[in-house]
Structures are given as C-alpha cells and as structure tokens.
Amino acid sequence: MEKKQVIWVIIEQVQGKTAAVSLEVLGKACQLAAEAANAQVVAVALGSAIGPLAQQLPKHGADKVFLVDDPRLELYQNDTYSSVLRRLIERERPDVVLIGASASGEELAPTLAAQLGTGLAAHCTNLRLAADGTLTMLVPAFGGQVIGEIFCPVQRPQMATIKPGVFSPVGLAERTGEIVQEDGASLLYDAEIRLRATRLVVEEPPGMPIEQADVIVAGGWGIGSRENWRLLEELAKEFNGAVGCTRPALDQGWTGGEHTMIGSSGKTVRPKLYLGAGISGAAHHMVGIKDSGVIISVNRDKTAPIFQFSDYCVAADFRDVLPELLAQIRRAKH
Amino acid sequence: MKGLNISVLVKPVPDPGCYESIQIDPQTGILVREGLPNILNPADKHALEAALQLVEQHSGRVVMVSMAPPNALETVKEGLAMGADEAWLLSDRAFAGADTLATSRVLAAGIKKLGLCDLVLAGSESADGGTAHVPSQVGEILGISHLTNVTWLNIDTDANVRARMKMENGYIEVEGALPMVIGVSRGMNVPRYTSLPGILAAQDKPVKVLGLNNLGLDPGSVGLAGSPTQPGKLSRPELKRQGERLEGEPAELAKRIVAIMRSSGVLS
Ligand SMILES: Cc1cc2nc3c(=O)[nH]c(=O)nc-3n(C[C@H](O)[C@H](O)[C@H](O)COP(=O)(O)OP(=O)(O)OC[C@H]3O[C@@H](n4cnc5c(N)ncnc54)[C@H](O)[C@@H]3O)c2cc1C
Ligand SMILES: Cc1cc2nc3c(=O)[nH]c(=O)nc-3n(C[C@H](O)[C@H](O)[C@H](O)COP(=O)(O)OP(=O)(O)OC[C@H]3O[C@@H](n4cnc5c(N)ncnc54)[C@H](O)[C@@H]3O)c2cc1C
C-alpha cells in the first residue's frame, strides 16, 4: 500500500477570525485528499488566544489541527511565523503544504520555501494530487494569458499558494478532529526575532465584499469621472451587489479602494452576473472574472476585446444605457 | 550611518501590453516571446524611485542588479537614466530556466559580490512570472530581515527601519533594522520620468556583466538544474464566450438587459 499522504493547510487569522481564503484552501485540501484516496488533511493555526478558532477547523475539513498559541504570534510577522512553521514541518514532514495567497501568505510562503530549500508554486488556479503523491500545480503567468503546470519532483514538501476566491470552503457540521496543542516556547526563540510587528490597522470596507456579491457592476477607465462612477454604485445597490473596478479606474481614485480591483493582481470573483462598463477587456482584468455566471459588457467601441469574453455585448455609450437600465430596474421592482 | 548603499533588483520583462499576443508553439509547447519589446518591470521603477529618494535624503549609492540575458542591457539602462549609479547584469547560460529560488540564489550572490550593501529594494512582483517570491527569498538567502508589499518606508540615521506592509483591508506596521530586503508596492510612490540629461549621463555610468564563475556559484544550484520546481505543459486559459450582440435604442437595450438579469435569477 502506498504511504498515506499528508496535506497541510496553514490557517491565517486576523484578530482571532479565520481568513476566508484559509477555509477555501482547506476545502480544496479535502477534495485532494479524496482524489488521492489515502490522504490526511491537517490544519495548522498560529496566533494568540485562538483556541476557539481551532475548534472550528474540523468542521471545515481538517482531520487534525496543530495549534500554536503564543502571545508572540498575535500579529503576523515573517520571522516568527516562518520559524514556528519551519520547525513543525521539519518535525512532521508533510507531503504538501498549502497557503492562502493573502498579503501575509504571499510573504510567508516564499520565506518558508527558501528556508526549507523546496519549491513553491504561486497563485495556483488548480491542483491535482495523484495516488503516488505527485502534486500537479497550475499557475498563471503573463497576467493570466498563460497557465503552466508546475511540479516539485524531488524536494518535500510540495508547496503552493492559492488566491482568495479560487476554491470553495466545505461545511461538515458533524465532523470532529484531533486538536494538538503545541508549545510555542520550543518552536520560537526570542533571539531569532528580528522584526517587530507593532500594530495592525484594518478598516472593514463598507458594503458587500466583492467576493461574496451575486451581482458585480464593474467600471473601467471609460467611466471618466467620480461623478459617473456613482451610477455604477446605484446600480449595484439595487441588487445588494458590489462595484468592482480595473486598475486604471482605481488609480484615478474613483472607486471604493484596492479591495474592489478585479484581476490578476486583484480579486478573483465569480458572481452570478457581471456587468462591465468602460472596460476594454485586458487579460489582466478578465482572468479575475472568467468563472462568472453571465458576463454583460457595455463599451462604445464595437471592436473592444471585452466583447470576445462576454455573453452579451452592448456596443453603446454607457451614459445612454445605464441610466435607462437603472430606471427600468427600479420600475421592475415596484 | 554614513550614506546608504542600496541595491535595486530590476527585471527586464516583455511589455505587458503585448501579453495578448504571446503564443505557445504547438510543436514544442514552448512560449514564443521573440519580437516582444522588453521594458523594465513596472514595479521595479517604484523600487528604484524609493532608492533614489532615500539617497537624496541620506546620501549614498544605488546599484541595480539584474539577472537576465546579455541583450537586456539596453532595458536596464533606463534605470541608469532615472538616476541609478551603476548596473550589474548577472548573465550566464547556466542561469536559464530558473525558478524563483534559483533566481534568488544568483541575485543574492550578486549582492554579496557587491560587498557593502545596507538595503536591497525590489519590486513586489514582476509583470511576467508574477510570483512575488523573489524579495523574501533573496532576504532568506542573504540571511537578513525582509519585508514585502511595503507601501510606506522610513529609515532613520541610526539605520532603524519602520515600514507599513499591505494587508487585506489595511496594513501592519513593522520595525526592524538594516540590513534588510524590501519589496516595494506600487502604492509607495510615483516613479520619476527619465530626463534628457539623465539619458545622456547614463551613457557614462559603469555597467558590469558577471557570470557563474565570477559569482562563485555551483552550477547545480542555479538555472533549471538548481530549481526545486520544474515546469510541465503550458496552455492558454479559455476566456472566450459566445458574445451575443444586443442592438437597439437605449430603452430597448436596457429592456434586454433586464430580461437577462431576470433569467439569470438576480432580479425577480
Ligand atoms: C508560466 C510560468 C510560471 C512560473 N511559475 C513559477 C512558480 O510557480 N514558482 C516558481 O518558483 N517559479 C515560477 N516561474 C519562474 C519565475 O517566473 C522565475 O523564476 C523568475 O526568474 C523570477 O520570478 P518572478 O518573475 O515571479 O519574480 P517576482 O518574485 O514576482 O519578482 C519580484 C521582484 O523581484 C525582483 N526580480 C525578480 N526576478 C529578477 C531578476 N531576474 N533580476 C532582477 N530582479 C528580479 C524584481 O525586483 C521583481 O519586481 C514561472 C515561470 C513561468 C514562465
Ligand atoms: C503587472 C500588471 C498587473 C495588472 N493587473 C491588473 C489587474 O489585476 N486588474 C486590472 O483591471 N488591470 C490590471 N492591469 C492593467 C491592465 O493591463 C489594463 O491596463 C487594464 O485592465 C485596462 O483597464 P480599463 O479597461 O479600465 O481601461 P482601458 O483599457 O483604457 O479601456 C477603457 C475602455 O472604455 C471604453 N469607453 C470609453 N468611454 C466609454 C463610454 N462613454 N462608454 C462606454 N465605453 C467607453 C473604451 O472604448 C475602452 O475600451 C495590470 C497591468 C500590469 C502591467
């Protein structure tokens, strides 16, 4: 019989709350474990006073949880987090380590991979685990125009990061798992801490998080002004939806902020319906919406590339169509 | 602190405006990138701008370090025109096919060879590979502190560093000390344009090309041979959709869109 594969998912928490991406990755790990028939899913949670959070992880697919609870781990910081994880990985020797590509995960993963001298695949769009333990990692490059297979044939663990919104979490209300308390003092020495994370400033953005919205109204450079942008906001509001943007629109300062940018360096979304206006359809943007239900686009240039990537194409000025659309939607709702 | 010795990691990349035209050779399965114009990776200009501002503040020197084929020299010169003092091009057939760890080993060897270096600045991600691994991995190999996705940076005269690292909906404030590697996020600054005097001055600035032997690297630790990750097949994602054209006056178009919204279940 082949050796039982062990898949680790590093759980990110911010202020005692599990990051959505960690549960998404845990969901994928469960699926990989099922594919490889004989695999175990282990969640590893680091933080301070995060016992309650760890208790929840089996319900999201963890067969086992390593919990490192230490006041020095309250805030993420690369040399504390990587020291603890490196020691645990060297001791337990998992076959696969998966990490959410959040801002901190994007730093933690390459740090750990370099310490372990192993390979890391970045921003995987899919993963497959064969029964012999070979992990096939699919990664985007050139702004998403190219997808490459990546393997890590010799070194272990095989490591991969996954962006938020790519996979779905699982809920297994009945599932229980073993929770193993680790001793922070033997995994982290004060002398190796060179950086100090002094404070975390988070502002919960108002409104529906774009990853969770069923309807996204997105705008680009073609919207032209903050004034015009309000039209997108009003449309989105009719659906309790969210407004997304391209990078040029973000740079103009018209939008709700960086958390609303969609694309290869922003969010991956899959609403039931995406309505884009004043967007040309660069691959950098389109890869972020490719799994959306219906894509409707409004662009005054008949030849705009976005039309090739849309289900419905409206070659018109958004200033003519969207106010009329808003009025009709409001009428339809009354 | 007597001035800052800063290395800036710069990567020549194919112009992102051309990525739609990248093809995969159906016979060999290899990327066809010939003919695509190269530019300095956009994020690296933010790193270079940060370096130039720090040197204006503290005095010092800015040396660019790049691992790339010899023909990349022209692209790297744009950084000299922006104001960098010197450029090192690390170039060797043995470096080809490197993953991020093998790339970082070469860059770290280049920085060590430079000798005195207080601060290494990099872009936070490249436009082509775009893994965002290299700043942290160079830091690990050099054995010094590192931070990436940094949106704000302050270095005082005692070599203390304060930085803000971007988080999901905010930032984390971190303190440390030089030497350090920092990956600069594009939000940190607006890169300066190159000026004509800058371009002229660049002609006389020193440019060094170093290979495997100059850097004292083991051929087994670099390039494809030294890479823990190995590439498999390439493909293009399927993005194309049916693209039904809706025609008519605004009122008619809006009516069609309302109907589509109803049938997709987002409007009752
Ligand atoms: C389709 C494809 C997929 C890939 N996927 C992976 C993968 O999943 N894992 C992996 O390990 N490798 C991967 N690679 C290889 C990777 O792109 C190269 O190793 C590359 O040399 C460095 O990585 P990057 O461009 O992602 O750099 P990033 O880490 O995104 O770059 C960040 C910064 O580091 C500096 N930098 C990066 N490269 C250089 C350089 N050559 N010279 C000077 N400064 C530099 C720049 O300042 C840059 O802004 C992939 C390559 C391709 C073509
Ligand atoms: C490394 C890198 C990463 C990037 N990452 C991202 C990313 O994650 N997300 C992202 O979005 N971009 C990203 N970009 C930028 C990307 O390449 C494109 O430049 C960007 O997506 C184009 O935005 P746009 O469609 O809003 O603007 P443009 O390309 O300028 O298009 C504007 C469109 O509006 C139309 N228009 C103008 N006026 C009207 C009107 N009145 N009515 C209707 N239509 C009108 C025009 O016909 C045009 O098609 C990245 C770039 C790089 C280099």
Side-chain angles (χ1 to χ4, degrees), chain A residues 76 78 102-103 106-107 110-111 113-115 118-120 122-123 141-142 144-153 155 194-205 215 239 247 251 258-259 265 272-273 282-284 290 292-296 302 307-314 320 324-325 328-329 332, chain B residues 14 16 19-20 22 24 31 33 101 125 127-133 136-137 140 143-149 164-176 180 186 228-246 250-251 253-255 257-258 260-262 264 266-267:
Chain A
Y76 163 80
N78 67 39
S102 59
E106 269 204 325
E107 182 189 69
T111 302
Q115 290 178 2
T118 193
L120 172 66
H123 311 140
F142 299 96
Q145 281 290 329
V146 174
I147 303 282
E149 283 176 349
I150 299 280
F151 299 97
C152 182
Q155 308 295 337
R194 300 167 295 186
L195 296 170
R196 287 175 308 282
T198 50
R199 71 183 176 129
L200 170 70
V201 178
V202 278
E203 295 138 14
E204 261 329 306
V215 175
F239 299 94
R247 199 158 96 175
D251 288 347
E258 189 148 359
H259 60 275
S265 41
K272 287 186 185 151
L273 186 133
H284 286 120
K290 70 176 171 39
S292 302
V294 174
I295 297 179
I296 309 175
K302 273 206 238 1
F307 288 151
Q308 298 170 42
F309 312 123
S310 305
D311 299 297
Y312 299 100
C313 312
V314 181
D320 297 329
E324 180 62 30
L325 179 63
Q328 289 195 20
I329 290 169
Chain B
Y19 291 175
E20 270 88 0
I22 286 179
I24 298 164
L31 282 179
R33 324 187 198 185
L101 195 57
E125 65 176 349
D128 54 354
T131 62
H133 293 174
S136 315
Q137 298 198 317
E140 284 299 322
I144 62 179
S145 313
H146 52 87
L147 286 171
T148 192
N149 268 317
R164 284 183 184 166
M165 181 189 157
K166 195 162 73 178
M167 295 290 277
E168 260 44 54
N169 297 314
Y171 59 87
I172 205 157
E173 224 159 62
V174 185
E175 294 177 357
M180 203 183 275
R186 45 192 296 285
T229 70
Q230 298 287 312
K233 282 204 265 318
L234 294 173
S235 59
R236 298 194 61 139
E238 199 34 81
L239 297 175
K240 286 225 165 28
R241 296 195 179 213
Q242 275 312 315
E244 182 184 336
R245 300 258 169 185
L246 307 184
L253 291 169
K255 203 172 142 198
I257 298 174
V258 166
I260 296 161
M261 287 172 159
R262 284 214 165 97
S264 56
V266 298
L267 190 67

Side-chain angles (χ1 to χ4, degrees), chain A residues 24-56:
Chain A
E24 293 162 12
V25 175
L26 204 46
K28 182 65 184 179
C30 284
Q31 197 191 327
L32 292 176
E35 270 174 38
N38 208 12
Q40 184 192 32
V41 176
V42 177
V44 185
L46 276 61
S48 176
I50 55 162
L53 168 159
Q55 299 293 337
Q56 296 301 313

Side-chain angles (χ1 to χ4, degrees), chain B residues 73 76-77 80 85-89 202-209:
Chain B
L73 213 51
V76 173
K77 282 193 178 147
L80 294 176
D85 298 296
E86 187 173 340
W88 283 31
L89 186 65
Q203 308 299 333
D204 301 325
K205 290 182 176 173
V207 173
K208 241 188 231 167
V209 181

